[in-house]
Amino acid sequence: MDKIHKLNVVHRLEKRRLLIAINCVAGLSILFFGYDQGMMGGVNTAYDYYTRMGFGHKGPDGGAVVDNSLLQGGIVSVYYLGTLVGCLVGGSIGDRFGRIKTIFIGAAVAVVGATLQTSAMNHEWMICARLVNGWGTGILNAIVPVWATETAEHKSRGQFIAIEFTLNILGVVIAYWLEYGCSFYGDGTSSFIWRFPIAFQIPMLLALMAVVLFFPESPRWLVKVGREDEARYVLGRLRGSEGENKENAEAEFQDIVASCELERSNFRKQNYLLMLFGVGSGKMHTGRRVQLVIWLQIMQEWVGIAGVTIYAPTIFGIAGMSPAKRQWISGLNNIFYMFSTLICVFTLDKIGRRWTCYWGSVGQGFAMLLAGVFSYLGQQATADGNTSKAAGYGDAAVSMVFLFTFVFGATWLTVPWLYPAEIFPLEVRAKGNAWGVVGWSIGNGWLTLLCPIMFKQLGEKTLYIFAACNAITIPMVWALYPETNQRTLEEIDLLFASDSIWNWEAEKNFTRLHEQAGYGTTTNGKGDEEHGPSRKQSLVRGMGLHMDSVEHHEK
């Protein structure tokens, strides 16, 4: 393919090897994202940092005493204001100029932000630097899951994204233990203790910038902008260019072309405001999809992970741990967290997105509830002078936090990032995924701003709030979120074609369209494998029948 540069890896790698290479590059971005998230937990406890920024002083036990919780939380949370702005910019750039160029731009902006953070001399400087770093991260978060999702096969889409989020938590682990090691530098007052960990993210970003330009563009974006020959070639390399693989790749290509044509004919050009309210989207119902991804991401943070990731030492302090002990216990918790993500790699494409969220919410809710109870009992035992009983309750509370992060890593970590990249039409997929990052930014920024205040005012009762949020997510997912597992990205437009917001109506409508299209009632992707090249005609016919009949049927 002459139009694709000769150094592009698409000419040398094929099928699973190419998919793995793409996901390694996407994983490098996600690794940076995890590192950036986990970094502030250790930075906040560095003596030179909290005194230079002016929100704390050293306490009698050697730990940080926060004098200005609002300033501490504000420095952390302004990053999420940056990601909110950055993701909207990234979604627009990604839909207009492609996934690869957008990743490069996002990494470049993040390098500038990381450099400014490393050199910060006061809290005003740090706030501005965190804002810029958030812009870059928001751009990357808006586009990287889309690129990975659009290149993966529908049968293993969840597995590949789950692997990337194993790397995400590896980033958190690296950040934590690097900062733990740096904390022993000198007499504990050097700025190196917090500046070096911040600077450590820069090599990851430079590596991402160096390699991403040698990787293929998403075939779906190439179809969208009319570069169909390139799209067919890239898709052929991704799926295989011989025998049945070649036929299936051609069938998938025709599905993409047909779906793109139908999207253009059934809703007018969308900007963020039109998408939010679903104006001009017709049966595509972009407004509903936007609301679903925003609230899924908000609830991901409010089930408790934002508090645990950044304020784990605070939680362990409430449970009665000493400053030194709470630091290494937090690091050990992150290691368990990383290994738990491997469960999602093997289960997400088998049990689906909905059941993954269900069992996650149950496990997380009980863990948060019991962590709060044991923390309370430990504090009561301490007040009564019973140190042995207090230590026992403290250990029990810590084990519940471990359980929470383990279950979260196996369930809710991945689904809210995968779902937005799956459910939007090709015409606005990057913008749609950006709305998911908006939800994540709102949930995370809101919670990290409030967490210091909540822990200070409510203590262990903060954990009860997280437990209640887990309970709320179960009926929310059951009623409103259709299953996307084992469905092609093109089929998902059919799944959201119903005018009803309820999941069961969406599933009934989807089944009816499949029956009218003449290829059965499949909902798990088997029909795709059995009918191979006939999928294009089935999809187009199903959409045509829908436009003519669904309104009458739902009346």
Side-chain angles (χ1 to χ4, degrees):
M1 173 54 64
D2 295 336
K3 294 180 181 179
I4 301 175
H5 197 278
K6 64 182 180 180
L7 295 179
N8 198 297
V9 299
V10 75
H11 300 306
R12 293 165 180 78
L13 302 177
E14 188 177 11
K15 295 178 65 176
R16 192 166 184 84
R17 291 175 63 197
L18 180 56
L19 281 170
I20 290 172
I22 288 172
N23 278 271
C24 284
V25 175
L28 182 59
S29 174
I30 301 298
L31 178 71
F32 153 72
F33 173 41
Y35 183 89
D36 213 35
Q37 274 190 296
M39 179 186 70
M40 288 307 292
V43 168
N44 276 334
T45 62
Y47 171 80
D48 182 76
Y49 176 78
Y50 62 73
T51 54
R52 186 181 295 273
M53 298 303 151
F55 62 76
H57 66 276
K58 183 183 287 188
D61 61 357
V65 176
V66 178
D67 302 314
N68 190 336
S69 298
L70 186 61
L71 178 58
Q72 181 197 27
I75 292 173
V76 175
S77 63
V78 74
Y79 168 82
Y80 300 105
L81 176 60
T83 61
L84 191 152
V85 175
C87 72
L88 296 175
V89 173
S92 295
I93 296 173
D95 275 335
R96 185 173 181 182
F97 298 107
R99 311 334 187 189
I100 298 298
K101 291 178 182 176
T102 307
I103 293 172
F104 183 87
I105 292 169
V109 174
V111 167
V112 174
T115 304
L116 290 172
Q117 282 187 91
T118 304
S119 56
M121 299 302 293
N122 51 56
H123 68 262
E124 292 90 350
W125 187 332
M126 192 65 175
I127 288 170
C128 292
R130 292 280 293 165
L131 195 63
V132 175
N133 206 37
W135 290 344
T137 307
I139 293 170
L140 291 173
N141 287 351
I143 205 65
V144 168
V146 172
W147 183 50
T149 299
E150 289 184 335
T151 52
E153 291 185 276
H154 71 278
K155 292 179 288 185
S156 57
R157 214 166 42 223
Q159 182 182 59
F160 275 107
I161 300 298
I163 290 171
E164 289 176 14
F165 277 91
T166 299
L167 295 175
N168 175 262
I169 306 308
L170 175 61
V172 175
V173 171
I174 292 171
Y176 192 89
W177 286 105
L178 180 65
E179 290 172 330
Y180 184 73
C182 287
S183 68
F184 294 99
Y185 179 81
D187 61 357
T189 62
S190 172
S191 65
F192 174 86
I193 293 171
W194 64 272
R195 292 190 192 276
F196 179 75
I198 293 176
F200 192 78
Q201 63 192 296
I202 297 175
M204 287 184 265
L205 293 164
L206 293 176
L208 179 62
M209 292 171 65
V211 302
V212 73
L213 295 178
F214 298 99
F215 275 76
E217 186 55 83
S218 158
R220 287 175 165 86
W221 181 80
L222 291 170
V223 169
K224 176 189 167 184
V225 297
R227 293 159 61 180
E228 294 186 3
D229 290 341
E230 293 173 69
R232 182 183 271 112
Y233 176 76
V234 172
L235 196 60
R237 298 295 293 177
L238 285 166
R239 305 293 182 254
S241 55
E242 295 180 358
E244 185 179 350
N245 288 332
K246 183 177 181 179
E247 292 179 1
N248 288 337
E250 179 62 23
E252 185 175 353
F253 172 76
Q254 295 298 339
D255 266 358
I256 296 168
V257 172
S259 180
C260 192
E261 290 172 353
L262 283 164
E263 288 172 12
R264 288 172 180 166
S265 64
N266 283 288
F267 71 132
R268 72 172 187 252
K269 190 173 181 64
Q270 298 274 288
N271 58 37
Y272 285 113
L273 191 61
L274 293 177
M275 287 179 68
L276 179 62
F277 296 103
V279 177
S281 66
K283 294 297 181 180
M284 297 295 173
H285 297 118
T286 57
R288 184 195 313 163
R289 303 190 210 199
V290 167
Q291 293 297 325
L292 289 178
V293 301
I294 287 176
W295 284 103
L296 191 64
Q297 286 280 22
I298 288 175
M299 294 309 295
Q300 183 199 43
E301 301 310 316
W302 276 90
V303 297
I305 194 59
V308 170
T309 300
I310 299 175
Y311 297 102
T314 302
I315 295 173
F316 295 144
I318 291 171
M321 303 289 108
S322 66
K325 190 175 182 181
R326 70 182 74 153
Q327 290 295 325
W328 70 260
I329 287 177
S330 297
L332 189 62
N333 182 45
N334 286 335
I335 293 175
F336 275 86
Y337 187 11
M338 180 184 70
F339 283 114
S340 73
T341 62
L342 296 174
I343 295 174
C344 200
V345 172
F346 298 103
T347 60
L348 188 56
D349 286 324
K350 287 183 169 55
I351 66 174
R353 293 29 165 171
R354 284 159 57 84
W355 277 100
T356 298
C357 288
Y358 292 155
W359 83 264
S361 295
V362 171
Q364 293 160 187
F366 277 115
M368 278 283 125
L369 177 64
L370 292 175
V373 170
F374 288 135
S375 294
Y376 171 76
L377 294 174
Q379 291 174 70
Q380 292 298 110
T382 300
D384 295 339
N386 193 333
T387 56
S388 62
K389 185 177 286 189
Y393 285 131
D395 290 341
V398 168
S399 69
M400 289 300 102
V401 175
F402 272 52
L403 177 63
F404 169 84
T405 51
F406 189 88
V407 175
F408 182 88
T411 57
W412 271 82
L413 170 67
T414 302
V415 174
W417 289 101
L418 173 60
Y419 205 78
E422 290 182 311
I423 69 169
F424 283 95
L426 174 59
E427 281 290 304
V428 292
R429 186 163 291 139
K431 290 189 184 75
N433 192 61
W435 275 115
V437 184
V438 167
W440 174 82
S441 301
I442 292 170
N444 226 321
W446 182 14
L447 196 55
T448 52
L449 182 63
L450 289 178
C451 265
I453 300 168
M454 291 167 66
F455 283 126
K456 185 175 182 179
Q457 298 296 324
L458 301 177
E460 81 286 343
K461 296 182 181 66
T462 303
L463 305 182
Y464 302 152
I465 295 174
F466 295 152
C469 289
N470 276 282
I472 291 169
T473 62
I474 296 174
M476 184 181 89
V477 171
W478 173 77
L480 300 173
Y481 289 79
E483 182 60 74
T484 58
N485 184 40
Q486 301 299 314
R487 286 164 169 156
T488 69
L489 296 178
E490 286 66 49
E491 281 183 313
I492 290 172
D493 277 344
L494 293 172
L495 188 61
F496 283 91
S498 171
D499 289 335
S500 173
I501 66 170
W502 305 116
N503 168 62
W504 51 88
E505 293 295 336
E507 290 289 354
K508 280 195 285 187
N509 188 62
F510 181 81
T511 300
R512 185 175 59 81
L513 291 176
H514 270 252
E515 291 173 340
Q516 290 178 338
Y519 67 113
T521 60
T522 61
T523 58
N524 60 1
K526 292 180 180 178
D528 298 336
E529 298 171 26
E530 293 170 0
H531 289 78
S534 68
R535 286 170 57 217
K536 178 209 171 187
Q537 292 85 356
S538 299
L539 181 65
V540 173
R541 184 181 174 193
M543 286 299 290
L545 286 169
H546 168 260
M547 298 304 173
D548 293 336
S549 67
V550 74
E551 184 174 352
H552 173 73
H553 179 270
E554 292 188 345
K555 286 178 181 178

